[in-house]
Amino acid sequence: MTPIAITFLILAIVVVWGGLVASTLYLRSRPELTDYPPGGIDDHRDDDAPIIHDT
């Protein structure tokens, strides 16, 4: 492998795994949505909806 290929390999590893770690830490700190946009109140409509299968 050339040094440029190794550099890009390391850069790609840092971007992919760093993004995964950053996303995990963000979701760990804020697991639930606390604020909804105007008009977007959670009414738990999905909890009572029937399951629709695409057949």
Side-chain angles (χ1 to χ4, degrees):
M1 288 182 110
T2 63
I4 292 176
I6 294 172
T7 302
F8 277 105
L9 175 68
I10 292 171
L11 179 67
I13 290 171
V14 168
V15 167
V16 170
W17 288 103
L20 177 66
V21 169
S23 299
T24 302
L25 292 175
Y26 178 77
L27 287 175
R28 187 176 175 195
S29 67
R30 297 181 188 159
E32 295 290 329
L33 187 61
T34 57
D35 296 328
Y36 291 98
I41 298 172
D42 187 20
D43 58 357
H44 300 283
R45 194 174 300 169
D46 295 336
D47 297 339
D48 299 330
I51 298 172
I52 299 173
H53 295 282
D54 187 25
T55 55

